[in-house]
Amino acid sequence: MQAVNNNPVPLLETRGLQKYFKVPKGMLHAVDGVNLSIPHQRTLGVVGESGCGKSTLGRTILRLLEATGGEVLFEGENILTYDKKQMHRMRREMQIIFQDPYSSINPRMSVVEIIAEYMIVHKIYPTQQQAFQRAAELMDFVGLARRYANAYPHELDGGRRQRIGIARALSLNPKFIVCDEPVSALDVSIQAQILNLLMDIQDEMGLTYMFITHDLSVVKHISDEILVMYLGQCVEHCGSDELFENPLHPYTKALLSAIPEPDITMRGKEIRAIRGEVTSPINPPPGCRFASRCEHACERCHRETPPLCEVGPRHFVACHLVKGEPVHV
Ligand code: SF4
């Protein structure tokens, strides 16, 4: 297990991060002014409905998509100013685990070749043989039996394929990993195995994660802090326990009330249905983006965008109903 890193500079920070896409009807605001910070060796869960921009946020941070505006600070340095060569070096530090690793790997490569690929591209070892040897060790590390070394991805089930994705992400010894819905496509029993594996690896290697999911029960299990996104913006961000015990934004409250409850004594619990039309993310009008679906919306909500405010220690909310100190970028 790694020693705790108490560096006051967060490993990763974004300031006013934007990613817009040009579409026939105008500009789609997929990520719109997101501020976040993740301390070393911690996990930030990012939750929200499909299409809220959470995957785009992860990819923009990694520069798999070029940002429209804002900053991404890695250990205090804005990597959006890095040229190609600097970014190539930075790729070793920042990796991604995809929901479906099958979509990101060459199906004609064997398991050991897939895991060794980045090490060969980045010339981590003098010979390919050494990269394959390290790939075999990584198979042990992620619990993938060596007998699968020469198998092809289509011969393996989803859980084992995800272990390949994890081993490949670890192959360059990164500090930061974006886990983009890594368990959403897996059976529940396999989900737990992969989540536990990710947490063990974090302990062992001192990694920092951004864990993207639409499933709040999964994110609670793994996250230190949670950021709730709605239509490209952060609406609430706080500690994981705090979010479940004291949610403040109406959207967060509705999401939490919709978590399925296995306890039959809780069958009567109130579920807050979110009604109303979703605001279009294309050229969105001013005002709160949740206003068309919020039962508390007033005239001000349709006119003025609520700023993200700190309402308690590291508890941030963007809602006119909640009073706090606005966070300035
Ligand atoms: Fe609802 Fe207004 Fe708060 Fe938006 S700002 S969440 S519309 S009360």
Side-chain angles (χ1 to χ4, degrees):
M1 186 171 165
Q2 290 273 318
V4 177
N5 185 329
N6 291 320
N7 190 338
V9 178
L11 180 85
L12 189 110
E13 215 177 329
T14 69
R15 295 188 184 159
L17 189 64
Q18 295 172 319
K19 176 62 193 173
Y20 297 171
F21 295 97
K22 203 165 174 13
V23 293
K25 287 185 179 166
M27 285 305 236
L28 189 153
H29 293 216
V31 174
D32 208 357
V34 171
N35 303 319
L36 60 83
S37 67
I38 317 179
H40 291 254
Q41 301 173 5
R42 295 304 182 103
T43 299
L44 175 71
V46 178
V47 285
E49 296 162 300
S50 303
C52 73
K54 53 193 188 304
S55 289
T56 306
L57 173 66
R59 281 155 213 239
T60 308
I61 286 173
L62 296 180
R63 287 193 66 183
L64 298 177
L65 293 169
E66 282 306 327
T68 307
E71 296 180 349
V72 175
L73 306 178
F74 188 88
E75 296 185 318
E77 280 199 37
N78 183 9
I79 64 165
L80 297 189
T81 63
Y82 280 14
D83 61 22
K84 231 174 152 182
K85 208 166 147 195
Q86 288 171 305
M87 234 11 249
H88 181 73
R89 273 203 306 274
M90 181 50 70
R91 293 257 170 258
R92 296 187 188 183
E93 310 276 9
M94 311 166 86
Q95 287 293 315
I96 185 165
I97 298 169
F98 294 98
Q99 174 178 1
D100 177 11
Y102 201 54
S103 63
S104 65
I105 54 187
N106 183 342
R108 284 189 288 268
M109 287 167 81
S110 68
V111 169
V112 77
E113 286 170 337
I114 293 165
I115 299 172
E117 187 184 11
Y118 291 171
M119 293 186 278
I120 293 168
V121 169
H122 284 263
K123 300 187 172 66
I124 301 293
Y125 294 102
T127 67
Q128 288 201 4
Q129 205 42 47
Q130 284 168 289
F132 288 132
Q133 179 55 40
R134 176 65 185 144
E137 288 166 14
L138 282 165
M139 288 181 69
D140 298 339
F141 190 58
V142 301
L144 198 55
R146 287 201 188 191
R147 66 176 180 277
Y148 296 117
N150 294 317
Y152 290 90
H154 72 269
E155 298 175 277
L156 305 181
D157 60 30
R160 290 196 177 93
R161 283 213 289 257
Q162 196 49 287
R163 287 176 197 266
I164 302 174
I166 294 169
R168 189 163 74 149
L170 297 177
S171 64
L172 297 177
N173 213 12
K175 289 182 180 161
F176 175 64
I177 299 184
V178 171
C179 307
D180 189 2
E181 303 262 14
V183 297
S184 303
L186 304 176
D187 293 343
V188 176
S189 58
I190 309 289
Q191 282 189 5
Q193 288 175 17
I194 297 293
L195 287 176
N196 289 333
L197 174 66
L198 287 170
M199 289 193 289
D200 290 346
I201 290 170
Q202 181 174 40
D203 265 3
E204 187 112 351
M205 296 180 66
L207 292 171
T208 304
Y209 291 148
M210 173 185 272
F211 193 95
I212 296 168
T213 179
H214 62 274
D215 186 341
L216 266 166
S217 41
V218 164
V219 88
K220 185 182 184 191
H221 189 62
I222 195 165
S223 307
D224 299 293
E225 294 188 356
I226 297 176
L227 183 150
V228 181
M229 266 186 99
Y230 187 78
L231 283 185
Q233 297 180 324
C234 166
V235 295
E236 187 155 8
H237 174 182
C238 60
S240 181
D241 292 340
E242 170 81 355
L243 190 92
F244 280 79
E245 282 158 23
N246 183 29
L248 296 175
H249 195 280
Y251 177 61
T252 312
K253 290 180 186 175
L255 281 185
L256 289 174
S257 80
I259 296 178
E261 189 53 71
D263 182 352
I264 58 167
T265 62
M266 300 288 284
R267 279 226 173 119
K269 90 164 183 177
E270 184 199 357
I271 296 179
R272 291 162 194 255
I274 309 179
R275 299 198 173 81
E277 283 291 311
V278 180
T279 304
S280 170
I282 301 171
N283 304 330
C288 173
R289 292 197 185 161
F290 189 55
S292 60
R293 303 169 80 191
C294 179
E295 56 186 343
H296 307 289
C298 62
E299 188 267 329
R300 184 183 175 204
C301 301
H302 291 279
R303 183 168 37 87
E304 247 179 69
T305 305
L308 192 68
C309 294
E310 186 156 19
V311 298
R314 280 193 77 77
H315 190 159
F316 306 93
V317 184
C319 172
H320 290 311
L321 291 183
V322 184
K323 300 279 169 268
E325 270 305 300
V327 179
H328 296 290
V329 179

Short mmCIF file of all heavy atoms in Angstrom, two decimals, residues 117-146:
data_model
loop_
_atom_site.label_atom_id
_atom_site.label_comp_id
_atom_site.label_asym_id
_atom_site.label_seq_id
_atom_site.Cartn_x
_atom_site.Cartn_y
_atom_site.Cartn_z
N GLU A 117 0.96 -3.31 -25.83
CA GLU A 117 0.98 -2.35 -26.95
C GLU A 117 1.49 -0.95 -26.54
O GLU A 117 2.40 -0.40 -27.17
CB GLU A 117 -0.44 -2.23 -27.53
CG GLU A 117 -0.47 -1.39 -28.79
CD GLU A 117 -1.90 -1.19 -29.30
OE1 GLU A 117 -2.86 -1.53 -28.56
OE2 GLU A 117 -2.04 -0.69 -30.43
N TYR A 118 0.93 -0.37 -25.48
CA TYR A 118 1.35 0.99 -25.09
C TYR A 118 2.83 1.01 -24.69
O TYR A 118 3.54 1.97 -24.94
CB TYR A 118 0.53 1.51 -23.90
CG TYR A 118 -0.93 1.80 -24.18
CD1 TYR A 118 -1.79 2.10 -23.12
CD2 TYR A 118 -1.45 1.80 -25.46
CE1 TYR A 118 -3.13 2.37 -23.33
CE2 TYR A 118 -2.78 2.07 -25.68
CZ TYR A 118 -3.62 2.35 -24.62
OH TYR A 118 -4.94 2.62 -24.83
N MET A 119 3.28 -0.06 -24.01
CA MET A 119 4.68 -0.09 -23.56
C MET A 119 5.62 -0.12 -24.76
O MET A 119 6.70 0.47 -24.72
CB MET A 119 4.90 -1.31 -22.65
CG MET A 119 4.14 -1.22 -21.35
SD MET A 119 4.51 -2.56 -20.21
CE MET A 119 3.46 -3.88 -20.81
N ILE A 120 5.18 -0.78 -25.83
CA ILE A 120 6.01 -0.83 -27.05
C ILE A 120 5.98 0.53 -27.74
O ILE A 120 7.02 1.08 -28.11
CB ILE A 120 5.51 -1.97 -27.98
CG1 ILE A 120 5.77 -3.32 -27.30
CG2 ILE A 120 6.19 -1.90 -29.34
CD1 ILE A 120 5.10 -4.51 -27.94
N VAL A 121 4.78 1.13 -27.86
CA VAL A 121 4.66 2.45 -28.51
C VAL A 121 5.50 3.50 -27.77
O VAL A 121 6.19 4.31 -28.38
CB VAL A 121 3.17 2.89 -28.57
CG1 VAL A 121 3.05 4.34 -29.00
CG2 VAL A 121 2.39 1.98 -29.52
N HIS A 122 5.46 3.46 -26.44
CA HIS A 122 6.19 4.46 -25.65
C HIS A 122 7.63 4.03 -25.36
O HIS A 122 8.33 4.71 -24.61
CB HIS A 122 5.44 4.73 -24.34
CG HIS A 122 4.23 5.60 -24.52
ND1 HIS A 122 4.25 6.96 -24.30
CD2 HIS A 122 2.98 5.31 -24.93
CE1 HIS A 122 3.05 7.47 -24.55
NE2 HIS A 122 2.26 6.49 -24.94
N LYS A 123 8.06 2.92 -25.94
CA LYS A 123 9.44 2.43 -25.80
C LYS A 123 9.86 2.37 -24.32
O LYS A 123 10.92 2.88 -23.92
CB LYS A 123 10.41 3.31 -26.59
CG LYS A 123 10.12 3.35 -28.09
CD LYS A 123 11.22 4.11 -28.81
CE LYS A 123 11.11 4.05 -30.30
NZ LYS A 123 9.97 4.70 -30.91
N ILE A 124 9.00 1.76 -23.51
CA ILE A 124 9.28 1.68 -22.07
C ILE A 124 10.43 0.71 -21.80
O ILE A 124 11.23 0.91 -20.90
CB ILE A 124 8.02 1.23 -21.30
CG1 ILE A 124 6.86 2.19 -21.54
CG2 ILE A 124 8.29 1.07 -19.80
CD1 ILE A 124 7.05 3.58 -20.98
N TYR A 125 10.51 -0.35 -22.61
CA TYR A 125 11.57 -1.35 -22.42
C TYR A 125 12.42 -1.43 -23.69
O TYR A 125 11.91 -1.19 -24.80
CB TYR A 125 10.96 -2.72 -22.12
CG TYR A 125 10.23 -2.74 -20.80
CD1 TYR A 125 8.84 -2.66 -20.76
CD2 TYR A 125 10.92 -2.81 -19.60
CE1 TYR A 125 8.15 -2.66 -19.55
CE2 TYR A 125 10.25 -2.80 -18.39
CZ TYR A 125 8.87 -2.73 -18.37
OH TYR A 125 8.21 -2.72 -17.18
N PRO A 126 13.71 -1.82 -23.54
CA PRO A 126 14.58 -1.89 -24.73
C PRO A 126 14.10 -2.94 -25.74
O PRO A 126 14.30 -2.79 -26.94
CB PRO A 126 15.95 -2.28 -24.16
CG PRO A 126 15.87 -2.18 -22.68
CD PRO A 126 14.42 -2.11 -22.29
N THR A 127 13.46 -4.03 -25.26
CA THR A 127 13.04 -5.07 -26.21
C THR A 127 11.54 -5.35 -26.03
O THR A 127 10.98 -5.17 -24.95
CB THR A 127 13.80 -6.40 -25.97
OG1 THR A 127 13.39 -6.91 -24.69
CG2 THR A 127 15.30 -6.21 -25.99
N GLN A 128 10.95 -5.84 -27.13
CA GLN A 128 9.53 -6.21 -27.07
C GLN A 128 9.31 -7.36 -26.09
O GLN A 128 8.30 -7.45 -25.42
CB GLN A 128 9.05 -6.63 -28.45
CG GLN A 128 8.92 -5.48 -29.41
CD GLN A 128 7.98 -5.79 -30.59
OE1 GLN A 128 7.38 -6.85 -30.64
NE2 GLN A 128 7.88 -4.85 -31.50
N GLN A 129 10.32 -8.24 -26.01
CA GLN A 129 10.21 -9.40 -25.12
C GLN A 129 9.98 -8.96 -23.67
O GLN A 129 9.17 -9.53 -22.95
CB GLN A 129 11.49 -10.26 -25.25
CG GLN A 129 11.32 -11.71 -24.89
CD GLN A 129 10.03 -12.31 -25.44
OE1 GLN A 129 9.68 -12.13 -26.61
NE2 GLN A 129 9.27 -12.98 -24.58
N GLN A 130 10.70 -7.88 -23.28
CA GLN A 130 10.54 -7.38 -21.91
C GLN A 130 9.14 -6.79 -21.70
O GLN A 130 8.56 -6.92 -20.62
CB GLN A 130 11.62 -6.34 -21.61
CG GLN A 130 12.98 -6.96 -21.35
CD GLN A 130 14.08 -5.93 -21.36
OE1 GLN A 130 14.44 -5.39 -22.40
NE2 GLN A 130 14.62 -5.65 -20.20
N ALA A 131 8.62 -6.15 -22.76
CA ALA A 131 7.26 -5.59 -22.66
C ALA A 131 6.25 -6.73 -22.49
O ALA A 131 5.31 -6.64 -21.68
CB ALA A 131 6.93 -4.77 -23.90
N PHE A 132 6.46 -7.83 -23.23
CA PHE A 132 5.54 -8.98 -23.09
C PHE A 132 5.66 -9.60 -21.69
O PHE A 132 4.67 -10.04 -21.11
CB PHE A 132 5.82 -10.03 -24.17
CG PHE A 132 5.39 -9.61 -25.54
CD1 PHE A 132 6.22 -9.74 -26.63
CD2 PHE A 132 4.13 -9.05 -25.75
CE1 PHE A 132 5.82 -9.32 -27.90
CE2 PHE A 132 3.72 -8.63 -27.01
CZ PHE A 132 4.57 -8.77 -28.08
N GLN A 133 6.89 -9.63 -21.17
CA GLN A 133 7.09 -10.17 -19.83
C GLN A 133 6.33 -9.33 -18.80
O GLN A 133 5.63 -9.85 -17.93
CB GLN A 133 8.60 -10.19 -19.51
CG GLN A 133 8.96 -10.71 -18.13
CD GLN A 133 8.40 -12.11 -17.86
OE1 GLN A 133 8.39 -12.98 -18.75
NE2 GLN A 133 7.88 -12.32 -16.64
N ARG A 134 6.43 -7.99 -18.95
CA ARG A 134 5.71 -7.08 -18.03
C ARG A 134 4.19 -7.25 -18.21
O ARG A 134 3.44 -7.21 -17.23
CB ARG A 134 6.14 -5.63 -18.33
CG ARG A 134 5.41 -4.60 -17.52
CD ARG A 134 5.70 -4.70 -16.03
NE ARG A 134 4.90 -3.76 -15.26
CZ ARG A 134 4.39 -4.01 -14.06
NH1 ARG A 134 4.60 -5.17 -13.47
NH2 ARG A 134 3.67 -3.11 -13.44
N ALA A 135 3.75 -7.46 -19.46
CA ALA A 135 2.32 -7.66 -19.71
C ALA A 135 1.82 -8.90 -18.97
O ALA A 135 0.72 -8.90 -18.39
CB ALA A 135 2.05 -7.78 -21.21
N ALA A 136 2.65 -9.94 -18.95
CA ALA A 136 2.25 -11.17 -18.25
C ALA A 136 2.14 -10.90 -16.75
O ALA A 136 1.22 -11.40 -16.07
CB ALA A 136 3.28 -12.28 -18.53
N GLU A 137 3.06 -10.09 -16.21
CA GLU A 137 2.99 -9.74 -14.78
C GLU A 137 1.72 -8.94 -14.49
O GLU A 137 1.07 -9.12 -13.46
CB GLU A 137 4.22 -8.92 -14.37
CG GLU A 137 5.51 -9.74 -14.33
CD GLU A 137 6.76 -8.86 -14.27
OE1 GLU A 137 6.64 -7.64 -14.00
OE2 GLU A 137 7.84 -9.40 -14.52
N LEU A 138 1.39 -8.05 -15.43
CA LEU A 138 0.16 -7.25 -15.23
C LEU A 138 -1.08 -8.14 -15.27
O LEU A 138 -2.06 -7.88 -14.58
CB LEU A 138 0.07 -6.15 -16.30
CG LEU A 138 0.97 -4.94 -16.05
CD1 LEU A 138 1.09 -4.08 -17.30
CD2 LEU A 138 0.43 -4.10 -14.89
N MET A 139 -1.02 -9.21 -16.08
CA MET A 139 -2.15 -10.16 -16.09
C MET A 139 -2.33 -10.75 -14.69
O MET A 139 -3.44 -10.85 -14.17
CB MET A 139 -1.92 -11.27 -17.11
CG MET A 139 -2.05 -10.81 -18.55
SD MET A 139 -1.79 -12.14 -19.73
CE MET A 139 -3.25 -13.15 -19.45
N ASP A 140 -1.20 -11.12 -14.07
CA ASP A 140 -1.29 -11.66 -12.69
C ASP A 140 -1.89 -10.60 -11.77
O ASP A 140 -2.76 -10.89 -10.94
CB ASP A 140 0.11 -12.00 -12.13
CG ASP A 140 0.81 -13.08 -12.95
OD1 ASP A 140 0.11 -13.82 -13.65
OD2 ASP A 140 2.05 -13.15 -12.87
N PHE A 141 -1.43 -9.37 -11.94
CA PHE A 141 -1.82 -8.27 -11.05
C PHE A 141 -3.33 -8.01 -11.09
O PHE A 141 -3.95 -7.69 -10.08
CB PHE A 141 -1.03 -7.01 -11.45
CG PHE A 141 -1.13 -5.88 -10.49
CD1 PHE A 141 -0.75 -6.02 -9.17
CD2 PHE A 141 -1.61 -4.65 -10.89
CE1 PHE A 141 -0.85 -4.98 -8.27
CE2 PHE A 141 -1.72 -3.59 -10.01
CZ PHE A 141 -1.33 -3.75 -8.69
N VAL A 142 -3.93 -8.14 -12.28
CA VAL A 142 -5.36 -7.85 -12.40
C VAL A 142 -6.21 -9.13 -12.32
O VAL A 142 -7.42 -9.09 -12.57
CB VAL A 142 -5.70 -7.08 -13.70
CG1 VAL A 142 -4.95 -5.76 -13.76
CG2 VAL A 142 -5.42 -7.91 -14.94
N GLY A 143 -5.57 -10.25 -11.99
CA GLY A 143 -6.33 -11.48 -11.79
C GLY A 143 -6.77 -12.14 -13.09
O GLY A 143 -7.84 -12.76 -13.14
N LEU A 144 -5.94 -12.04 -14.13
CA LEU A 144 -6.26 -12.68 -15.41
C LEU A 144 -5.26 -13.83 -15.59
O LEU A 144 -4.05 -13.59 -15.67
CB LEU A 144 -6.11 -11.64 -16.53
CG LEU A 144 -6.73 -11.87 -17.88
CD1 LEU A 144 -8.23 -12.15 -17.76
CD2 LEU A 144 -6.52 -10.63 -18.75
N ALA A 145 -5.75 -15.06 -15.63
CA ALA A 145 -4.85 -16.21 -15.67
C ALA A 145 -3.97 -16.17 -16.92
O ALA A 145 -4.43 -15.79 -18.00
CB ALA A 145 -5.67 -17.49 -15.65
N ARG A 146 -2.72 -16.56 -16.73
CA ARG A 146 -1.77 -16.49 -17.86
C ARG A 146 -2.15 -17.40 -19.02
O ARG A 146 -1.66 -17.23 -20.13
CB ARG A 146 -0.36 -16.82 -17.38
CG ARG A 146 0.24 -15.69 -16.56
CD ARG A 146 1.75 -15.79 -16.53
NE ARG A 146 2.29 -14.81 -15.59
CZ ARG A 146 3.57 -14.52 -15.50
NH1 ARG A 146 4.45 -15.12 -16.29
NH2 ARG A 146 4.00 -13.63 -14.62
#
